[in-house]
Amino acid sequence: GRPLKGEITIAGAKNAALPILCAALLTAEPVTLRNLPDLQDVRTILKILAQMGLKVTFPNPDDRSVVVLDGSDIHTPEASYELVKTMRASILVLGPLLARFGRAKVSLPGGCAIGARPVDQHIKGLKAMGADIHISHGYIEASFGEQKKALQGAKILTDMITVTGTENLLMAAVLADGQTILENAAREPEVTDLAELLIKMGANISGLGTDRLVIQGVKSLHGAQHAIIADRIETGTFMCAAAIMGQTGADLMLKNARPDTMEMVIDKLKDAGLQIALGKDWIHVVMNQRPKAVSFKTSEYPAFPTDMQAQFMAMNAIAQGASRVTETIFENRFMHVQELNRLGAQIVIEGNTAMTEGVDELSGATVMATDLRASASLVIAGLAASGETLVDRIYHLDRGYDRMEKKLAAVGAQIARVK
Ligand code: EPZ
């Protein structure tokens, strides 16, 4: 119940950093990255890469946003179960390891709380490029086909739009023999950011931002420097925090943002009554009224991002009016709903649609985080609820948010991390 007022600096995007860190496996020369977010998932992928022999250096140990990666001495093109089980995006090492070394052994990622999340499309695409792939004892073992010196370019049409599937196949294709066409490619800004780095490294890719990527394989890639794109989901999360504080007021300046990657989220928050001013790299939001309920259906970029669904559900919980939210990407991404209802929300789930009747007030309680964006949703709801809200299991939150409680406390929220 405290007004939010002040400036927040947005970090680099988690979902761009993870594939971009793996792209360093594609060259023997140093890759320097700036605007790297300091997150659990980033630390996990850096551990996996270091285990393979990739050298990770922070030029200034006090500044973990700049890192130099040196893949000149990769001795073990493998990713172990112990680390992969903590983060399924580790599958993103498969494409680059196979492309550069001709072999890879990566633990098959398990499912996760929000869904089965198979990687069949990643495997289908690599097989189309000539890879021999077999799965045994929970590991994917991949190699070039017999007597082959490289993957072969291919035309690949994925059954559905897959973000990391597109990224894995893109990283495999840049060193393949010949041309690869990725049809039905994901258009997320993080995919484009990866492609931009690969082009800086000497890759030949066209169709960025479209659902058809055309890659002309090259013999090798060289080092490069790159600043990671701003995190549109972190930005949207803080915008939802402002919108939910309508009764007490919010006035936030979000810096180092990329409003051009957030059109749908901005439109929906305007419908909710958030006042939004946009600059090239900043977003100023003001809220001094109860939010209005907004309905939406999640879909692939540029439509409404599934990673913002839980945060909007928190806002809808105390919005004026009723709303319908349909989750079309993952089969089990409503676990925050039961927890929001513990805070007094009136939400009913029917299949993959959640119907919400906005209530006047939420009341603080102990709730449990189940996955990354559900955690953010519960923190946002706690800001608006009367009394104290305790969010348990916030290791989920730390996977994808860089010290969220510090950023919120700095703009007036009464929030602290407790042991
Ligand atoms: C990426 O996951 C993001 N993670 C997710 O963000 C995001 O929610 C998701 O894309 C959708 O935008 C990273 O980029 C690291 P998909 P990804 O492959 O690539 C099915 C967050 O909160 N599918 O686009 O794993 C899949 O089950 C995280 O930051 C297959 O069936 O998602 C899902 O239903 C959560 N077979 C749908 O496609 C495959 O081989 C989209 O999944 C691949 C995917």
PDB file of all heavy atoms in Angstrom, residues 319-337:
ATOM      1  N   ALA A 319      -8.564  -5.094 -10.345  1.00  0.00           N
ATOM      2  CA  ALA A 319      -9.007  -4.117 -11.353  1.00  0.00           C
ATOM      3  C   ALA A 319     -10.522  -3.950 -11.273  1.00  0.00           C
ATOM      4  O   ALA A 319     -11.225  -4.746 -10.662  1.00  0.00           O
ATOM      5  CB  ALA A 319      -8.587  -4.598 -12.733  1.00  0.00           C
ATOM      6  N   GLN A 320     -11.001  -2.912 -11.932  1.00  0.00           N
ATOM      7  CA  GLN A 320     -12.440  -2.657 -12.018  1.00  0.00           C
ATOM      8  C   GLN A 320     -12.985  -3.514 -13.160  1.00  0.00           C
ATOM      9  O   GLN A 320     -12.476  -3.420 -14.285  1.00  0.00           O
ATOM     10  CB  GLN A 320     -12.613  -1.189 -12.380  1.00  0.00           C
ATOM     11  CG  GLN A 320     -13.902  -0.576 -11.974  1.00  0.00           C
ATOM     12  CD  GLN A 320     -13.777   0.948 -12.160  1.00  0.00           C
ATOM     13  OE1 GLN A 320     -12.675   1.484 -12.265  1.00  0.00           O
ATOM     14  NE2 GLN A 320     -14.908   1.604 -12.222  1.00  0.00           N
ATOM     15  N   GLY A 321     -13.933  -4.422 -12.852  1.00  0.00           N
ATOM     16  CA  GLY A 321     -14.539  -5.199 -13.934  1.00  0.00           C
ATOM     17  C   GLY A 321     -14.007  -6.623 -13.984  1.00  0.00           C
ATOM     18  O   GLY A 321     -13.177  -7.032 -13.180  1.00  0.00           O
ATOM     19  N   ALA A 322     -14.530  -7.338 -14.982  1.00  0.00           N
ATOM     20  CA  ALA A 322     -14.189  -8.757 -15.150  1.00  0.00           C
ATOM     21  C   ALA A 322     -13.241  -8.901 -16.338  1.00  0.00           C
ATOM     22  O   ALA A 322     -13.220  -8.053 -17.238  1.00  0.00           O
ATOM     23  CB  ALA A 322     -15.469  -9.554 -15.390  1.00  0.00           C
ATOM     24  N   SER A 323     -12.443  -9.960 -16.297  1.00  0.00           N
ATOM     25  CA  SER A 323     -11.505 -10.173 -17.415  1.00  0.00           C
ATOM     26  C   SER A 323     -11.387 -11.668 -17.713  1.00  0.00           C
ATOM     27  O   SER A 323     -11.608 -12.507 -16.848  1.00  0.00           O
ATOM     28  CB  SER A 323     -10.120  -9.630 -17.050  1.00  0.00           C
ATOM     29  OG  SER A 323      -9.675 -10.237 -15.843  1.00  0.00           O
ATOM     30  N   ARG A 324     -11.025 -11.948 -18.965  1.00  0.00           N
ATOM     31  CA  ARG A 324     -10.780 -13.333 -19.406  1.00  0.00           C
ATOM     32  C   ARG A 324      -9.355 -13.393 -19.928  1.00  0.00           C
ATOM     33  O   ARG A 324      -8.980 -12.579 -20.776  1.00  0.00           O
ATOM     34  CB  ARG A 324     -11.668 -13.677 -20.604  1.00  0.00           C
ATOM     35  CG  ARG A 324     -13.110 -13.881 -20.373  1.00  0.00           C
ATOM     36  CD  ARG A 324     -13.796 -14.008 -21.754  1.00  0.00           C
ATOM     37  NE  ARG A 324     -13.281 -15.165 -22.479  1.00  0.00           N
ATOM     38  CZ  ARG A 324     -13.829 -16.376 -22.373  1.00  0.00           C
ATOM     39  NH1 ARG A 324     -14.892 -16.546 -21.602  1.00  0.00           N
ATOM     40  NH2 ARG A 324     -13.324 -17.383 -23.031  1.00  0.00           N
ATOM     41  N   VAL A 325      -8.567 -14.318 -19.407  1.00  0.00           N
ATOM     42  CA  VAL A 325      -7.182 -14.476 -19.871  1.00  0.00           C
ATOM     43  C   VAL A 325      -7.006 -15.911 -20.356  1.00  0.00           C
ATOM     44  O   VAL A 325      -7.341 -16.853 -19.636  1.00  0.00           O
ATOM     45  CB  VAL A 325      -6.194 -14.172 -18.718  1.00  0.00           C
ATOM     46  CG1 VAL A 325      -4.783 -14.633 -19.073  1.00  0.00           C
ATOM     47  CG2 VAL A 325      -6.206 -12.674 -18.390  1.00  0.00           C
ATOM     48  N   THR A 326      -6.553 -16.080 -21.588  1.00  0.00           N
ATOM     49  CA  THR A 326      -6.339 -17.425 -22.138  1.00  0.00           C
ATOM     50  C   THR A 326      -4.860 -17.638 -22.392  1.00  0.00           C
ATOM     51  O   THR A 326      -4.217 -16.800 -23.024  1.00  0.00           O
ATOM     52  CB  THR A 326      -7.138 -17.588 -23.442  1.00  0.00           C
ATOM     53  OG1 THR A 326      -8.527 -17.366 -23.151  1.00  0.00           O
ATOM     54  CG2 THR A 326      -6.975 -18.996 -24.018  1.00  0.00           C
ATOM     55  N   GLU A 327      -4.338 -18.749 -21.846  1.00  0.00           N
ATOM     56  CA  GLU A 327      -2.913 -19.086 -21.986  1.00  0.00           C
ATOM     57  C   GLU A 327      -2.796 -20.138 -23.089  1.00  0.00           C
ATOM     58  O   GLU A 327      -3.277 -21.258 -22.936  1.00  0.00           O
ATOM     59  CB  GLU A 327      -2.377 -19.628 -20.663  1.00  0.00           C
ATOM     60  CG  GLU A 327      -0.951 -20.180 -20.722  1.00  0.00           C
ATOM     61  CD  GLU A 327       0.074 -19.182 -21.226  1.00  0.00           C
ATOM     62  OE1 GLU A 327       0.204 -18.105 -20.630  1.00  0.00           O
ATOM     63  OE2 GLU A 327       0.722 -19.487 -22.245  1.00  0.00           O
ATOM     64  N   THR A 328      -2.180 -19.770 -24.208  1.00  0.00           N
ATOM     65  CA  THR A 328      -2.149 -20.716 -25.337  1.00  0.00           C
ATOM     66  C   THR A 328      -0.769 -21.355 -25.526  1.00  0.00           C
ATOM     67  O   THR A 328      -0.629 -22.267 -26.328  1.00  0.00           O
ATOM     68  CB  THR A 328      -2.481 -19.989 -26.668  1.00  0.00           C
ATOM     69  OG1 THR A 328      -1.357 -19.145 -27.007  1.00  0.00           O
ATOM     70  CG2 THR A 328      -3.726 -19.135 -26.553  1.00  0.00           C
ATOM     71  N   ILE A 329       0.262 -20.881 -24.815  1.00  0.00           N
ATOM     72  CA  ILE A 329       1.614 -21.382 -25.076  1.00  0.00           C
ATOM     73  C   ILE A 329       1.953 -22.582 -24.197  1.00  0.00           C
ATOM     74  O   ILE A 329       2.445 -23.593 -24.675  1.00  0.00           O
ATOM     75  CB  ILE A 329       2.673 -20.261 -24.866  1.00  0.00           C
ATOM     76  CG1 ILE A 329       2.359 -19.045 -25.739  1.00  0.00           C
ATOM     77  CG2 ILE A 329       4.076 -20.806 -25.092  1.00  0.00           C
ATOM     78  CD1 ILE A 329       2.565 -19.262 -27.224  1.00  0.00           C
ATOM     79  N   PHE A 330       1.701 -22.465 -22.897  1.00  0.00           N
ATOM     80  CA  PHE A 330       2.041 -23.560 -21.974  1.00  0.00           C
ATOM     81  C   PHE A 330       0.772 -24.153 -21.372  1.00  0.00           C
ATOM     82  O   PHE A 330      -0.223 -23.444 -21.167  1.00  0.00           O
ATOM     83  CB  PHE A 330       2.960 -23.052 -20.861  1.00  0.00           C
ATOM     84  CG  PHE A 330       4.331 -22.685 -21.360  1.00  0.00           C
ATOM     85  CD1 PHE A 330       4.749 -21.367 -21.373  1.00  0.00           C
ATOM     86  CD2 PHE A 330       5.191 -23.658 -21.859  1.00  0.00           C
ATOM     87  CE1 PHE A 330       6.004 -21.034 -21.862  1.00  0.00           C
ATOM     88  CE2 PHE A 330       6.435 -23.324 -22.344  1.00  0.00           C
ATOM     89  CZ  PHE A 330       6.848 -22.005 -22.346  1.00  0.00           C
ATOM     90  N   GLU A 331       0.868 -25.448 -21.045  1.00  0.00           N
ATOM     91  CA  GLU A 331      -0.348 -26.155 -20.609  1.00  0.00           C
ATOM     92  C   GLU A 331      -0.632 -26.010 -19.122  1.00  0.00           C
ATOM     93  O   GLU A 331      -1.706 -26.341 -18.661  1.00  0.00           O
ATOM     94  CB  GLU A 331      -0.257 -27.639 -20.982  1.00  0.00           C
ATOM     95  CG  GLU A 331       0.902 -28.428 -20.395  1.00  0.00           C
ATOM     96  CD  GLU A 331       2.144 -28.417 -21.277  1.00  0.00           C
ATOM     97  OE1 GLU A 331       2.369 -27.412 -21.998  1.00  0.00           O
ATOM     98  OE2 GLU A 331       2.911 -29.387 -21.217  1.00  0.00           O
ATOM     99  N   ASN A 332       0.309 -25.446 -18.357  1.00  0.00           N
ATOM    100  CA  ASN A 332       0.048 -25.386 -16.914  1.00  0.00           C
ATOM    101  C   ASN A 332       0.620 -24.099 -16.323  1.00  0.00           C
ATOM    102  O   ASN A 332       1.453 -24.122 -15.422  1.00  0.00           O
ATOM    103  CB  ASN A 332       0.684 -26.617 -16.229  1.00  0.00           C
ATOM    104  CG  ASN A 332       0.324 -26.633 -14.751  1.00  0.00           C
ATOM    105  OD1 ASN A 332      -0.738 -26.156 -14.359  1.00  0.00           O
ATOM    106  ND2 ASN A 332       1.228 -27.129 -13.930  1.00  0.00           N
ATOM    107  N   ARG A 333       0.228 -22.976 -16.859  1.00  0.00           N
ATOM    108  CA  ARG A 333       0.854 -21.729 -16.426  1.00  0.00           C
ATOM    109  C   ARG A 333      -0.129 -20.837 -15.659  1.00  0.00           C
ATOM    110  O   ARG A 333      -0.135 -19.624 -15.784  1.00  0.00           O
ATOM    111  CB  ARG A 333       1.438 -20.980 -17.634  1.00  0.00           C
ATOM    112  CG  ARG A 333       2.528 -20.021 -17.162  1.00  0.00           C
ATOM    113  CD  ARG A 333       3.315 -19.381 -18.271  1.00  0.00           C
ATOM    114  NE  ARG A 333       4.519 -18.797 -17.717  1.00  0.00           N
ATOM    115  CZ  ARG A 333       5.481 -18.223 -18.440  1.00  0.00           C
ATOM    116  NH1 ARG A 333       5.353 -18.146 -19.752  1.00  0.00           N
ATOM    117  NH2 ARG A 333       6.554 -17.729 -17.859  1.00  0.00           N
ATOM    118  N   PHE A 334      -0.965 -21.513 -14.820  1.00  0.00           N
ATOM    119  CA  PHE A 334      -1.888 -20.738 -13.976  1.00  0.00           C
ATOM    120  C   PHE A 334      -1.673 -21.031 -12.498  1.00  0.00           C
ATOM    121  O   PHE A 334      -2.574 -20.816 -11.689  1.00  0.00           O
ATOM    122  CB  PHE A 334      -3.350 -21.058 -14.335  1.00  0.00           C
ATOM    123  CG  PHE A 334      -3.866 -20.345 -15.557  1.00  0.00           C
ATOM    124  CD1 PHE A 334      -4.639 -21.007 -16.487  1.00  0.00           C
ATOM    125  CD2 PHE A 334      -3.597 -18.990 -15.782  1.00  0.00           C
ATOM    126  CE1 PHE A 334      -5.142 -20.351 -17.617  1.00  0.00           C
ATOM    127  CE2 PHE A 334      -4.090 -18.327 -16.901  1.00  0.00           C
ATOM    128  CZ  PHE A 334      -4.861 -19.009 -17.820  1.00  0.00           C
ATOM    129  N   MET A 335      -0.457 -21.502 -12.127  1.00  0.00           N
ATOM    130  CA  MET A 335      -0.280 -21.904 -10.723  1.00  0.00           C
ATOM    131  C   MET A 335      -0.314 -20.721  -9.775  1.00  0.00           C
ATOM    132  O   MET A 335      -0.537 -20.867  -8.582  1.00  0.00           O
ATOM    133  CB  MET A 335       1.002 -22.713 -10.564  1.00  0.00           C
ATOM    134  CG  MET A 335       0.803 -24.120 -11.091  1.00  0.00           C
ATOM    135  SD  MET A 335       2.370 -24.922 -11.254  1.00  0.00           S
ATOM    136  CE  MET A 335       3.077 -23.861 -12.480  1.00  0.00           C
ATOM    137  N   HIS A 336      -0.111 -19.519 -10.313  1.00  0.00           N
ATOM    138  CA  HIS A 336      -0.183 -18.328  -9.458  1.00  0.00           C
ATOM    139  C   HIS A 336      -1.632 -18.035  -9.070  1.00  0.00           C
ATOM    140  O   HIS A 336      -1.894 -17.342  -8.083  1.00  0.00           O
ATOM    141  CB  HIS A 336       0.393 -17.104 -10.198  1.00  0.00           C
ATOM    142  CG  HIS A 336      -0.023 -17.041 -11.631  1.00  0.00           C
ATOM    143  ND1 HIS A 336       0.515 -17.874 -12.600  1.00  0.00           N
ATOM    144  CD2 HIS A 336      -0.961 -16.305 -12.260  1.00  0.00           C
ATOM    145  CE1 HIS A 336      -0.054 -17.619 -13.771  1.00  0.00           C
ATOM    146  NE2 HIS A 336      -0.952 -16.684 -13.587  1.00  0.00           N
ATOM    147  N   VAL A 337      -2.603 -18.604  -9.823  1.00  0.00           N
ATOM    148  CA  VAL A 337      -4.013 -18.266  -9.583  1.00  0.00           C
ATOM    149  C   VAL A 337      -4.460 -18.682  -8.181  1.00  0.00           C
ATOM    150  O   VAL A 337      -5.053 -17.892  -7.435  1.00  0.00           O
ATOM    151  CB  VAL A 337      -4.913 -18.900 -10.670  1.00  0.00           C
ATOM    152  CG1 VAL A 337      -6.379 -18.867 -10.265  1.00  0.00           C
ATOM    153  CG2 VAL A 337      -4.698 -18.198 -11.997  1.00  0.00           C
TER     154      VAL A 337
END
